């Protein structure tokens, strides 16, 4: 294996699992820009039910996210992933065959029951070395962002040529393609990565909810996806009213999303150079707020709507990319899996609440009411950031530790914590692993020497 880069197997794992994740997320996201426009023939159609249909997957995802990860630890990653994709395909077929909005809601809820995110990330961790795991996860993360951009492109095109039935049918096919990738391309792991890095431990959730920085970030991802889902209840209808035919919406969404990716880069560079995560966070929230106020104030001016969409996705992309990184920096050593489990649950719950709130607000207050409500939530989020601190820039390492009893584990943890550059160290006897958070100048050879001595 290459010491400083991904091995051939790790590249195969990264891109195959990224494809599985991306195909599934496309299936969930493609409905967002089109359902309010193409679902008007469904029995029971109303703005409230549009919002519920768009966000329904979030509720079942939120409920099952952590349990499915734990189940994958007991039954194996690949069986749980394949079963989840089968359930997702079944939900897609239910939605495709429905002639009422209630059937679509049920189908979307079943889609969400195929909650495989934790199992996919755990499998990626099982099949990658400790020092390369971050790169593998980054590839998967980038693919999720790309899948969202492609869903904005493909959703309007597919819906125009195949209708909602064809769109949901395509999502079922994408799930079957994902099953084939898992079965044919992804190796079966022989060992499992340390649980603390990848899977949630329910017993530790209460402890993490007492961490004010983590709670702020969990509230942030909840609000971000609430706002996103609510906006897409109203935005497609505003674009039609502004004169953009529904089959042409991708001509606005896709360039705006790509432009937003480009505009996001300076925010990331400035944040890294100035080590001011909170400052750039607030700038990104300012972009969201400006976009929502423009959407509320100029609902029928196409060029203003296009500018608002660009600003919205610039802020959204930065926040979506930054939040997981901040979770990893703020969470206690050895508890990243639990912290990310709570984070993901908050994200999906936000999507459900956004659909419910957005649909209800549109029905009562119209599109401008939705955007103003979303703007008020951004202001609330800005207030939450006032107590946010900039994280200390630390690296994380997970190392094998062949300890045989509690006293060995405690002694080893003490030795590791005394090394120059170690900010935090914990040794978990049950997992036979040492978790370290270290400063930039830390020399990993020190830790390996200590571990070799103990072994």
């Amino acid at each position: 294996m290459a010491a400083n880069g991904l091995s051939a197997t790790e590249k195969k794992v990264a891109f195959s699992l990224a494809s599985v994740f991306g195909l599934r997320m496309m299936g969930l996201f493609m409905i967002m820009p089109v359902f309010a426009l193409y679902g008007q023939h469904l029995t029971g159609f109303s703005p409230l039910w549009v919002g519920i249909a768009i966000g329904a997957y979030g509720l079942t995802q939120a409920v099952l996210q952590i349990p499915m990860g734990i189940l994958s630890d007991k039954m194996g990653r690949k069986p749980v992933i394949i079963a989840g994709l089968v359930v997702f395909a079944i939900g897609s077929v239910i939605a495709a065959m429905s002639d009422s909005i209630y059937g679509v809601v049920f189908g979307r809820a079943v889609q969400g029951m195929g909650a495989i995110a934790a199992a996919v990330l755990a499998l990626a961790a099982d099949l990658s070395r400790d020092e390369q795991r971050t790169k593998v996860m980054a590839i998967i993360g980038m693919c999720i962002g790309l899948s969202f951009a492609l869903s904005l492109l493909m959703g309007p095109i597919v819906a125009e040529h195949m209708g909602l039935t064809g769109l949901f049918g395509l999502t079922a096919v994408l799930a079957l393609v994902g099953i084939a990738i898992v079965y044919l391309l992804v190796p079966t792991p022989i060992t499992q990565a340390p649980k603390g890095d990848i899977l949630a431990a329910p017993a530790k959730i209460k402890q993490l909810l007492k961490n004010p920085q983590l709670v702020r970030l969990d509230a942030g991802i909840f609000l971000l996806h609430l706002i996103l889902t609510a906006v897409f209840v109203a935005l497609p209808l505003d674009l039609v009213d502004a004169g953009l035919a529904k089959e042409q919406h991708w001509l606005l969404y896709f360039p705006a999303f790509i432009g937003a990716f480009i505009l996001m880069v300076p925010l990331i560079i400035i944040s890294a150079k100035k080590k001011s995560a909170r400052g750039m966070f607030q700038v990104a929230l300012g972009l969201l707020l400006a976009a929502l106020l423009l959407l509320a104030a100029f609902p029928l001016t196409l060029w203003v709507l296009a500018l608002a969409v660009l600003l919205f996705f610039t802020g959204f992309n930065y926040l979506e990319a930054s939040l997981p990184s901040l979770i990893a920096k703020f969470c206690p050593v050895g508890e990243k899996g639990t912290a990310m489990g709570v984070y993901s649950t908050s994200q999906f719950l936000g999507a459900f609440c956004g659909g419910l709130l957005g649909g209800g607000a549109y029905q009562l207050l119209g599109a401008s009411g939705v955007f103003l409500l979303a703007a008020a939530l951004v202001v609330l989020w800005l207030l939450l950031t006032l107590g946010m601190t900039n994280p200390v820039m630390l690296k994380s390492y997970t190392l094998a530790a062949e300890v045989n009893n509690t006293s060995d584990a405690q002694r080893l943890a003490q030795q590791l914590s005394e090394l120059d550059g170690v900010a935090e160290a914990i040794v978990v006897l049950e997992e036979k692993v040492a978790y370290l958070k270290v400063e930039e100048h830390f020399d990993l050879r020190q830790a390996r020497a200590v571990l070799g001595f103990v072994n």
Side-chain angles (χ1 to χ4, degrees):
M1 288 188 177
N4 298 317
L6 296 177
S7 68
T9 298
E10 285 167 336
K11 290 177 183 177
K12 181 179 179 182
V13 167
F15 287 103
S16 57
L17 289 179
S19 299
V20 172
F21 220 129
L23 290 171
R24 179 177 167 280
M25 296 309 288
M26 278 184 62
L28 289 172
F29 287 146
M30 279 196 296
I31 186 179
M32 291 182 67
V34 301
F35 190 68
L37 302 172
Y38 289 86
Q40 297 181 13
H41 67 283
L42 295 170
T43 302
F45 180 91
S46 72
L48 175 61
W49 281 100
V50 167
I52 295 173
I54 291 175
Y57 78 94
L59 181 61
T60 45
Q61 283 268 358
V63 171
L64 294 174
Q65 185 71 21
I66 291 175
M68 288 285 277
I70 295 171
L71 187 64
S72 78
D73 202 44
K74 299 182 182 298
M75 296 183 59
R77 315 295 190 209
K78 291 176 72 172
V80 167
I81 294 170
I82 290 172
L85 289 169
V86 169
V87 170
F88 182 85
I90 291 171
S92 301
V93 172
I94 292 171
M97 296 177 64
S98 298
D99 55 9
S100 75
I101 200 163
Y102 315 114
V104 172
V105 168
F106 178 64
R108 290 281 284 175
V110 173
Q111 282 184 327
M113 292 173 66
I116 62 170
V120 170
L121 295 177
L123 180 57
D126 292 344
L127 292 168
S128 57
R129 293 165 292 164
D130 294 334
E131 60 269 27
Q132 299 300 329
R133 193 166 293 147
T134 302
K135 295 178 185 177
V136 172
M137 298 300 182
I139 291 171
I140 293 174
M142 287 188 291
C143 193
I144 294 172
L146 179 61
S147 71
F148 185 69
L150 288 175
S151 70
L152 297 180
L153 169 65
M154 291 187 61
I157 295 174
V158 173
E160 174 62 21
H161 290 90
M162 303 170 64
L164 282 183
T165 298
L167 188 149
F168 283 120
L170 178 60
T171 65
V173 171
L174 294 178
L176 297 179
V177 172
I179 291 172
I181 291 172
V182 173
Y183 186 76
L184 298 174
L185 298 180
V186 180
T188 299
I190 299 172
T191 60
Q192 292 189 346
K195 296 178 187 178
D197 269 351
I198 53 173
L199 292 176
K204 296 181 178 179
I205 291 175
K206 185 176 180 181
Q207 175 186 344
L208 292 184
L209 291 177
K210 296 178 182 179
N211 185 316
Q213 298 303 325
L214 290 178
V215 168
R216 281 186 177 85
L217 298 175
D218 292 332
I221 194 63
F222 172 85
L223 290 170
L224 184 63
H225 280 260
L226 186 158
I227 291 165
L228 174 71
T229 310
V231 162
F232 271 98
V233 173
L235 180 59
L237 296 167
D238 265 9
L239 292 177
V240 169
D241 290 342
L244 187 65
K246 58 187 180 181
E247 64 271 14
Q248 295 181 324
H249 284 194
W250 69 272
L251 292 170
L252 185 149
Y253 289 136
F254 193 66
F257 202 85
I258 298 302
F261 263 117
I262 296 170
L263 292 177
M264 174 185 71
V265 173
L267 298 182
I268 294 174
I269 293 173
I270 294 170
S271 176
K273 282 188 175 181
K274 293 183 176 288
K275 296 183 179 179
S276 178
R278 187 179 77 168
M280 284 302 102
F281 217 78
Q282 291 169 336
V283 169
L285 286 172
L287 293 176
L288 280 187
L289 183 59
L292 291 166
L293 293 176
L294 283 174
L295 289 171
F298 302 96
L300 300 180
T301 308
L302 188 57
W303 285 107
V304 175
L305 290 177
L307 174 62
V309 171
L310 176 63
L311 293 176
F312 181 88
F313 280 128
T314 301
F316 175 85
N317 287 344
Y318 178 82
L319 294 166
E320 183 83 355
S322 300
L323 281 164
S325 173
L326 290 172
I327 287 281
K329 289 181 173 67
F330 279 118
C331 74
V333 66
E335 297 182 14
K336 183 179 177 183
T338 304
M340 290 305 297
V342 175
Y343 170 86
S344 296
T345 299
S346 303
Q347 174 182 338
F348 291 121
L349 192 59
F352 170 71
C353 292
L356 191 64
L357 195 64
Y362 190 92
Q363 195 154 312
L364 293 173
L365 304 170
S368 292
V370 173
F371 300 135
L372 288 174
L373 179 60
L377 292 174
V378 174
V379 172
L380 173 62
W381 192 355
L382 276 166
L383 293 175
L384 286 175
T385 65
L386 295 179
M388 181 179 172
T389 59
N390 288 313
V392 179
M393 303 306 288
L394 300 174
K395 293 181 179 180
S396 296
Y397 289 104
T398 305
L399 303 169
E402 290 299 328
V403 287
N404 299 313
N405 52 57
T406 302
S407 61
D408 272 358
Q410 291 174 340
R411 184 168 60 252
L412 179 57
Q414 181 64 32
Q415 289 176 311
L416 290 170
S417 66
E418 292 173 354
L419 295 176
D420 181 40
V422 173
E424 195 176 356
I426 185 173
V427 177
V428 182
L429 175 62
E430 295 79 7
E431 299 178 28
K432 294 189 180 299
V433 68
Y435 297 105
L436 304 179
K437 275 196 171 182
V438 301
E439 298 172 2
E440 287 288 337
H441 67 273
F442 174 72
D443 187 348
L444 185 58
R445 290 173 294 183
Q446 299 178 77
R448 294 196 185 281
V450 170
L451 290 165
F453 174 76
V454 171
N455 293 345

